[in-house]
Amino acid sequence: MKEINKFFKIVLVLFLFFSTKAESKILTIGNLDAKITVKVFSSLTCPHCAEFHEVVFNKLKDEYIDKDLVKFEHHAFPLDLAALNAEVVIRCQTNNDKKFELLEEIYKKQTEWAVGSDINKINNLIKKIGLDFDLTENKMDECLKNSEAQDEILNQRIKAQKQYKIEATPTIFINEKKYSGKVDYKSFKKFIEKNL
């Protein structure tokens, strides 16, 4: 009986460890205990996602996230290999603030790197951006060769597809309710204010 209890304790510890590990890979910024959680499922090659980031995220960060009123989660939902590789490079950075700065720059320069079909060229353009965020080319190459990182991102995408029924990017949830309003800051802010 002691051996069975010991086995279940080990299984429980392993389950908790791996659950925490997977959850920690979601890019999160803001107060973890905030009343409002904004989840954005996006692909880094999606122009509408870049527009959301530029038009809504930065203002949301200034007015709500930095004031501990909102927790923001960027959920990787890559629609192609280029978006997957860009997500991998972002996760190569260990500093959370730098991850979000790199995410910002990847979106800003989307039209420069997310072009063509030569994945090697695209990867080099992504890495060129990463160099400005304390990442070395060797470190990024290691990350891109790490199939575990890619699998984790793809598994999160599959889980999100099943759980949230994602049909397009960006798909936004506020406190687990799908946001279907206009993707302009005024409309988004109104929705946030109603939930505060």
Side-chain angles (χ1 to χ4, degrees):
M1 188 67 163
K2 263 185 167 180
E3 302 233 357
I4 293 173
N5 283 339
K6 186 177 179 182
F7 172 77
F8 282 113
K9 285 180 184 177
I10 291 170
V11 169
L12 179 62
V13 167
L14 287 173
F15 173 77
L16 291 173
F17 172 76
F18 286 112
S19 297
T20 303
K21 182 181 174 199
E23 197 168 6
S24 68
K25 293 294 182 181
I26 294 168
L27 273 60
T28 303
I29 193 168
N31 179 359
L32 298 179
D33 297 320
K35 186 176 177 182
I36 296 178
T37 298
V38 174
K39 295 180 179 184
V40 178
F41 297 86
S42 64
S43 176
L44 297 178
T45 53
C46 157
H48 297 294
C49 300
E51 181 183 356
F52 170 85
H53 202 81
E54 180 186 336
V55 173
V56 177
F57 173 77
N58 290 317
K59 291 178 184 173
L60 182 71
K61 185 175 183 309
D62 291 341
E63 291 186 35
Y64 295 97
I65 298 168
D66 290 346
K67 294 177 182 172
D68 290 336
L69 298 170
V70 168
K71 175 176 79 168
F72 181 88
E73 295 179 0
H74 165 80
H75 290 257
F77 201 85
L79 299 176
D80 51 47
L81 184 57
L84 174 63
N85 288 352
E87 290 284 359
V88 169
V89 168
I90 288 170
R91 282 157 180 75
C92 208
Q93 174 55 256
T94 55
N95 178 293
N96 198 54
D97 291 333
K98 288 273 188 198
K99 282 181 186 179
F100 272 92
E101 290 171 18
L102 180 52
L103 177 68
E104 171 86 15
E105 196 67 11
I106 293 261
Y107 274 133
K108 265 188 201 171
K109 294 185 175 178
Q110 184 185 74
T111 58
E112 296 172 28
W113 66 268
V115 291
S117 60
D118 182 346
I119 196 62
N120 293 319
K121 182 179 177 185
I122 292 168
N123 285 348
N124 287 334
L125 293 168
I126 294 167
K127 290 188 294 185
K128 186 176 175 186
I129 297 168
L131 290 171
D132 293 332
F133 294 88
D134 302 332
L135 293 171
T136 65
E137 191 156 344
N138 286 340
K139 173 74 171 159
M140 289 184 279
D141 285 337
E142 284 176 30
C143 290
L144 288 167
K145 289 176 188 168
N146 182 350
S147 62
E148 189 177 304
Q150 292 177 349
D151 289 347
E152 188 169 318
I153 292 167
L154 292 173
N155 285 330
Q156 287 175 4
R157 183 191 189 280
I158 291 166
K159 183 179 175 186
Q161 177 66 48
K162 288 178 183 175
Q163 184 176 352
Y164 294 99
K165 311 288 188 249
I166 310 296
E167 295 174 1
T169 57
T171 297
I172 304 157
F173 281 82
I174 300 173
N175 288 349
E176 299 300 319
K177 293 178 194 154
K178 189 173 182 178
Y179 174 78
S180 54
K182 286 184 180 179
V183 182
D184 65 70
Y185 188 66
K186 188 177 177 184
S187 302
F188 200 80
K189 181 178 179 172
K190 198 179 289 184
F191 197 85
I192 292 287
E193 287 291 330
K194 279 194 329 192
N195 287 284
L196 274 177

